Amino acid sequence: RPPRSTPLPTRATFPPMKLIGAGFSRTGTISLQEALITLGLPCYHFFELMSKDADLDIWYKYSLDPAGSPLPYKALLEGYEACLDFPICVHYRELMEEFPDAKVILTVRDAEKWRDSLAKIFRTCGWVIVFALVCPRLLKVLVIGVRASFVDTFKMHLDRANWIEAF
């Protein structure tokens, strides 16, 4: 289930980034997001990206041309005190440079179980490709997901050993 939405502070009171999540999807990122929100930290998660047209457009443009469309991390994360999950977790090194005072948390789980869980999600979402052909918004989400997971993380090697090594 999607987590509750993160209420953002007013523009005049934007807090600094406090926590960068370096863990992949399916490692407890939704639970962590819920905990952070409960503690009062607005949190940028994949669900946030999907709910904001401007963010979706920025990630989509980057996914099509990473060299020509660097990500504006401060603009994307303005108002959030934490960020985690795909695709932002793939950029944890850059985020550490952009927000040097932020702490980094790495969520993990058993590598074999993680790979099986992620593969199950990909197998059961085959219908997304069909709907993406008629829904531009869904097509953007699909392109972003493919870029962050298959290209940036798994380097287009989809065998089990490569997934576990990347994890």
Side-chain angles (χ1 to χ4, degrees):
R1 71 173 166 58
R4 59 191 157 164
S5 182
T6 299
L8 293 177
T10 62
R11 191 175 238 338
T13 61
F14 279 148
M17 180 61 58
K18 293 180 181 170
L19 187 128
I20 298 165
F24 292 164
S25 295
R26 315 303 300 161
T27 62
T29 60
I30 293 174
S31 298
L32 179 57
Q33 180 191 25
E34 284 290 325
L36 293 170
I37 290 170
T38 299
L39 293 171
L41 280 93
C43 185
Y44 191 89
H45 187 281
F46 185 70
F47 294 116
E48 298 292 313
L49 174 157
M50 291 191 325
S51 68
K52 296 181 177 164
D53 290 337
D55 288 15
L56 192 61
D57 289 341
I58 289 168
W59 281 104
Y60 180 69
K61 186 176 177 184
Y62 168 81
S63 296
L64 295 176
D65 183 18
S69 304
L71 289 168
Y73 297 114
K74 286 191 177 178
L76 275 171
L77 299 172
E78 190 173 47
Y80 293 96
E81 294 181 58
C83 59
L84 46 101
D85 200 61
F86 274 122
I88 201 77
C89 68
V90 177
H91 302 269
Y92 75 91
R93 287 183 185 94
E94 295 90 342
L95 292 167
M96 289 169 59
E97 291 178 19
E98 191 79 27
F99 305 104
D101 294 330
K103 304 295 183 201
V104 177
I105 187 166
L106 176 62
T107 51
V108 296
R109 69 186 284 189
D110 176 82
E112 293 281 343
K113 290 179 181 176
W114 167 80
R115 189 272 176 199
D116 291 345
S117 177
L118 195 60
K120 182 178 178 182
I121 294 292
F122 291 146
R123 279 193 306 273
T124 59
C125 290
W127 58 268
V128 171
I129 296 169
V130 174
F131 286 118
L133 297 174
V134 295
C135 177
R137 182 177 189 79
L138 190 54
L139 178 61
K140 288 179 180 181
V141 171
L142 185 62
V143 169
I144 292 165
V146 167
R147 175 85 211 179
S149 57
F150 295 119
V151 178
D152 292 340
T153 304
F154 306 126
K155 310 298 183 215
M156 296 304 292
H157 300 288
L158 304 182
D159 61 279
R160 180 181 205 88
N162 186 65
W163 281 34
I164 290 172
E165 182 182 333
F167 179 73

